[in-house]
């Protein structure tokens, strides 16, 4: 159990939530493990399938506490709230921001500057830890260029200019990424980002990881009452979760890229875990069943690791980062925070 931002996160899969007086009680296998007065929380997020008692649902409803249900892997299931629903005000604010070019630019800049900043941190960490590796000088130069790109985001005049800075930064970052692969280099060759379809094993894993992350961010935004389809950087499109795509930008390097590089360098995944056509051309490369199982198992394990959140200065699970950032975003939109603090790796 984690209590952050007055939100109770119940991450134990077999936990059951119930009511005792005006307390929310968390039990595991019939044994009480945690309780908290309902007045001390604004929302409850539970990840698992045991559920909650109707009496707790009523208690949450009476006190304006949203009760959010997610699967063990983080997929959004449902939200229970009382008849007085503040989400309409939050979403009205969100839609107003999306329709205001200057306001949308402010949020989009936060997401992209954080993306570039975290990409630079990933490169600088490699330079520090692998100072004798081939290509370390290239990585160092790319990291320095990314520093200038972070500052460039602060002076953009519109979204198109911001997209241009982001595109330039991504090209520089992916130029350095091949040098971060220090094992299995003959099997896992990366010549730049490609997708729809991915044409090599590295890109196949990056695309799969970004898809999983987008799903987590979509669920997190649903959990705080934001509309994941209305974003500020990514254009509106039917069936597109634009705000989720905005939110994942600040997590790409830290959660997905670093994870994929680790899988390769630690030999947790092999080229035999992919379906690769013998003839060259625009043929998609994808993981086979064994490869996906390895990837997903390692992904879920990674989400259980703990870090100290850079803004809250509290320990949390990596898997809760999208939920925390979604909550911070919602709080800023409601006026509870002066600014939105994006996730910045230390």
């Amino acid at each position: 159990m984690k209590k952050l931002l007055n939100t109770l996160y119940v991450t134990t899969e077999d936990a059951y939530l119930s009511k005792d007086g005006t307390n929310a009680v968390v039990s595991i296998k019939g044994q009480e493990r945690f309780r908290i007065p309902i007045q001390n929380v604004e929302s409850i997020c539970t990840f698992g399938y045991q559920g909650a008692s109707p009496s707790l649902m009523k208690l949450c409803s009476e006190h304006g506490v949203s009760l959010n249900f997610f699967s063990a892997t983080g997929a959004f299931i449902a939200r229970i709230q009382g008849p007085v629903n503040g989400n309409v005000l939050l979403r009205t604010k969100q839609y107003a921001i999306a329709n205001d070019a200057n306001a949308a630019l402010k949020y989009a800049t936060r997401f992209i500057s954080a993306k570039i900043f975290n990409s630079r941190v990933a490169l600088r960490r490699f330079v520090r830890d692998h100072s004798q590796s081939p290509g370390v000088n290239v990585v160092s130069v790319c990291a320095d260029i990314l520093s200038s790109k972070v500052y460039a985001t602060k002076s953009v005049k519109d979204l198109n200019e911001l997209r241009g800075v982001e595109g330039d930064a991504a090209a520089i970052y992916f130029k350095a990424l091949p040098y971060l692969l220090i094992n299995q280099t003959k099997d896992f060759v990366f010549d730049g980002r490609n997708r729809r379809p991915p044409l090599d094993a590295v890109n196949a894993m990056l695309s799969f990881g970004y898809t999983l992350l987008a799903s987590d961010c979509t669920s997190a935004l649903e959990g705080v009452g934001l509309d994941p389809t209305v974003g500020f950087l990514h254009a509106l499109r039917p069936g597109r979760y634009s705000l989720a795509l905005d939110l994942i930008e600040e997590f790409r390097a830290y959660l997905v890229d670093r994870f994929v590089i680790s899988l390769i360098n630690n030999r947790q995944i092999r080229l035999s875990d992919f379906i690769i056509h013998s003839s060259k051309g625009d043929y998609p490369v994808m993981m086979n069943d064994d490869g996906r199982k390895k990837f997903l198992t390692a992904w879920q394990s990674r989400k259980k690791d703990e870090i100290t959140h850079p803004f809250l200065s509290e320990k949390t699970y990596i898997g809760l980062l999208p939920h925390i950032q979604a909550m911070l975003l919602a709080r800023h939109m409601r006026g509870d925070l002066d600014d939105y603090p994006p996730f910045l790796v230390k």
Side-chain angles (χ1 to χ4, degrees), residues 92-229:
T92 299
K93 177 68 173 180
Q94 177 187 355
Y95 300 149
I97 293 170
N99 288 317
D100 183 326
N102 290 329
L105 178 62
K106 169 188 169 183
Y107 285 92
T109 300
R110 296 289 189 276
F111 296 131
I112 294 305
S113 63
K115 174 185 180 179
I116 301 173
F117 179 91
N118 291 337
S119 298
R120 176 189 176 276
V121 169
L123 299 188
R124 294 305 306 171
R125 179 171 290 151
F126 178 84
V127 172
R128 181 195 67 198
D129 295 342
H130 301 277
S131 59
Q132 302 304 313
S133 293
V136 69
N137 291 334
V138 174
V139 176
S140 181
V141 169
C142 290
D144 291 341
I145 297 175
L146 289 183
S147 294
S148 66
K149 296 300 180 182
V150 172
Y151 287 107
T153 63
K154 302 180 186 301
S155 59
V156 296
K157 300 297 188 296
D158 54 43
L159 289 175
N160 284 332
E161 188 176 352
L162 179 64
R163 293 186 183 106
V165 173
E166 188 274 337
D168 291 343
I172 294 297
Y173 171 70
F174 284 123
K175 177 182 178 181
L177 194 143
Y179 298 103
L180 276 58
L181 302 174
I182 57 178
N183 287 324
Q184 304 189 95
T185 54
K186 292 183 179 180
D187 289 337
F188 291 92
V189 176
F190 182 80
D191 291 324
R193 181 78 175 112
N194 57 67
R195 52 182 182 162
R196 301 192 187 103
L199 303 177
D200 58 71
V202 178
N203 273 292
M205 286 192 287
L206 289 175
S207 292
F208 189 53
Y210 294 151
T211 298
L212 294 175
L213 180 58
S215 177
D216 287 347
C217 287
T218 299
S219 294
L221 293 165
E222 288 274 15
V224 300
L226 288 167
D227 185 343
T229 66

Side-chain angles (χ1 to χ4, degrees), residues 53-116:
S53 69
S55 60
L56 177 67
M57 297 178 191
K58 182 174 183 293
L59 180 68
C60 289
S61 175
E62 292 172 344
H63 287 80
V65 175
S66 63
L67 180 56
N68 305 282
F69 295 92
F70 300 85
S71 72
T73 58
F76 179 77
I77 298 174
R79 181 193 310 110
I80 296 175
Q81 287 186 300
V84 179
N85 190 338
N87 286 345
V88 63
L89 299 178
L90 177 61
R91 292 198 176 198
T92 299
K93 177 68 173 180
Q94 177 187 355
Y95 300 149
I97 293 170
N99 288 317
D100 183 326
N102 290 329
L105 178 62
K106 169 188 169 183
Y107 285 92
T109 300
R110 296 289 189 276
F111 296 131
I112 294 305
S113 63
K115 174 185 180 179
I116 301 173

